Amino acid sequence: MRSESLEYFLEIASCGSFTNAAKKLYVSQQGLSKAIKALEKDLGCRLFQREGSHLALSAAGRALVPFARRCLDDVEMLREAMEPFSQMSAPGRASKRERLTIYASSFVADSLFFLLDEDIRRSHLNNVRIIERPCDEMIEELRTRPKPCPYALCLPIEDVGLLADVPDVEFRPLFATEILLVGSSQFIHPEKGAFSLDKVAKMPLVYYNDPVLNRIIGDMFAGRVLENVITHAARRISKYIQQGKAVTFSDSLSRFLTEEDGDVAYASIENTSRFVVGFAFATGDEGSVRTRDYVDGFEACFRTRCAPYLEENPLPVL
């Protein structure tokens, strides 16, 4: 159980909405939903229930509130007590008051910072504030007036060159990944081979409404109409998948990092889209040293955790 999950739980309880809580916490609704599902699995009970259009605490959720607050208070006291020792053992590491801001697309926040949460924490790379922003907006800012912080980007391979000629900006690719199809093991049978785009276009689909994903999916299915898109609502996607009523999209790195689930199957898609995830940052400003140190540390953490994936899925020549 992670303390962040308790913070998310309390914020959702306060807002009465995943949407509003996600905005206040600067995380995606998909990431928030995953965290709450993991917390409910740890505790063995449902914490929220629907009352019409309103999200309300269940009996278990109401009982958890005071314990969650006390737990987070204790965690905060522990961190404050350990701060002097932390600075002595790692003087070059930023203190909590010097938290590094990272701009990230929704996909990157979910695939990297959520799925690699424990590895990031063990590597002391968690003292950051992640703000989700559209990828196009971040690229435009990097071209004109970049801020002294890392930008975590998800780019179609053909778009990586957009930053190549930008003065004093470096793009550090971490990995390449590709779109996969995900659904109930009753719905998808990987042993039958890859799905054609024509076949996928006719299937009942549910997927998260993220601008980067929408563009990648749009380019992949160019000239084809997705005939049966049921919903983009994050809270309903899991239900449709588990019940075998629809399929959704994932990617090869997320599959690598996600625990095996016998009820869910992955399948390749013919002529699928591939894209690159990495950090871009300005090299000519006063914050560049700290930013580069963070990117170096994150890259080392990622290469250690995902070495088998990188061996099977090497970065293309960019």
Side-chain angles (χ1 to χ4, degrees):
M1 182 186 303
R2 303 193 312 275
S3 61
E4 286 86 351
S5 296
L6 295 177
E7 293 178 8
Y8 293 171
F9 162 73
L10 290 175
E11 192 62 53
I12 296 167
S14 174
C15 293
S17 161
F18 274 79
T19 300
N20 292 336
K23 290 178 180 177
K24 292 185 69 174
L25 292 165
Y26 296 101
V27 298
S28 70
Q29 290 186 55
Q30 186 180 29
L32 209 57
S33 178
K34 287 179 182 178
I36 295 303
K37 287 183 184 299
L39 181 60
E40 290 178 330
K41 184 177 180 180
D42 283 342
L43 297 176
C45 56
R46 295 294 297 274
L47 300 174
F48 296 96
Q49 60 190 21
R50 284 275 167 197
E51 295 181 354
S53 60
H54 180 67
L55 187 69
L57 287 167
S58 66
R62 290 193 297 273
L64 177 60
V65 168
F67 291 100
R69 287 172 177 161
R70 287 202 295 270
C71 180
L72 291 175
D73 286 343
D74 287 343
V75 169
E76 187 63 24
M77 291 174 62
L78 184 152
R79 287 173 176 163
E80 290 179 1
M82 293 297 102
E83 184 69 17
F85 302 99
S86 171
Q87 294 304 304
M88 290 169 59
S89 61
R93 200 175 72 213
S95 71
K96 184 177 179 181
R97 292 182 299 276
E98 300 168 333
R99 182 174 293 183
L100 180 68
T101 294
I102 296 176
Y103 295 125
S105 67
S106 297
F107 171 80
V108 178
D110 290 337
S111 63
L112 281 184
F113 294 99
F114 179 77
L115 294 174
L116 288 171
D117 178 70
E118 293 301 321
D119 303 274
I120 292 170
R121 185 178 300 280
R122 283 194 294 269
S123 299
H124 306 297
L125 297 167
N126 59 313
N127 192 24
V128 296
R129 177 175 180 245
I130 300 170
I131 299 178
E132 294 186 18
R133 294 176 61 185
C135 204
D136 290 345
E137 181 182 291
M138 290 189 285
I139 290 175
E140 180 60 26
E141 188 167 279
L142 283 162
R143 285 175 167 274
T144 54
R145 193 176 179 83
K147 294 182 173 61
C149 62
Y151 293 73
L153 302 175
C154 170
L155 299 172
I157 289 177
E158 60 271 19
D159 284 359
V160 173
L162 291 174
L163 296 173
D165 298 326
V166 180
D168 300 322
V169 169
E170 177 181 339
F171 178 64
R172 183 85 60 85
L174 291 176
F175 65 91
T177 187
E178 64 181 32
I179 296 292
L180 299 175
L181 198 64
V182 188
S184 164
S185 55
Q186 298 175 345
F187 208 113
I188 289 181
H189 303 283
E191 66 276 5
K192 294 185 178 181
F195 283 70
S196 70
L197 290 172
D198 289 331
K199 184 173 182 179
V200 176
K202 292 179 171 61
M203 299 174 78
L205 286 165
V206 290
Y207 63 93
Y208 182 57
N209 191 18
D210 173 76
V212 175
L213 180 60
N214 287 342
R215 180 186 168 193
I216 291 171
I217 296 300
D219 290 345
M220 188 167 77
F221 286 90
R224 299 175 178 85
V225 177
L226 300 181
E227 299 177 9
N228 194 6
V229 178
I230 298 174
T231 182
H232 294 298
R235 66 179 182 276
R236 299 174 63 189
I237 290 174
S238 178
K239 178 181 177 181
Y240 277 103
I241 299 302
Q242 291 171 358
Q243 294 178 348
K245 295 181 178 179
V247 295
T248 189
F249 298 112
S250 184
D251 71 285
S252 50
L253 179 79
S254 296
R255 180 186 184 185
F256 172 79
L257 293 172
T258 302
E259 294 181 8
E260 290 292 332
D261 183 342
D263 296 328
V264 175
Y266 293 80
S268 299
I269 302 173
E270 294 176 357
N271 301 312
T272 191
S273 289
R274 299 187 73 222
F275 49 99
V276 173
V277 174
F279 286 107
F281 53 94
T283 58
D285 58 78
E286 60 184 11
S288 62
V289 173
R290 184 183 175 197
T291 296
R292 185 182 293 276
D293 286 347
Y294 184 87
V295 173
D296 288 345
F298 195 103
E299 183 177 26
C301 170
F302 181 83
R303 288 187 175 280
T304 299
R305 173 67 176 83
C306 300
Y309 176 86
L310 291 172
E311 185 174 349
E312 293 182 12
N313 302 272
L315 276 165
V317 178
L318 301 175

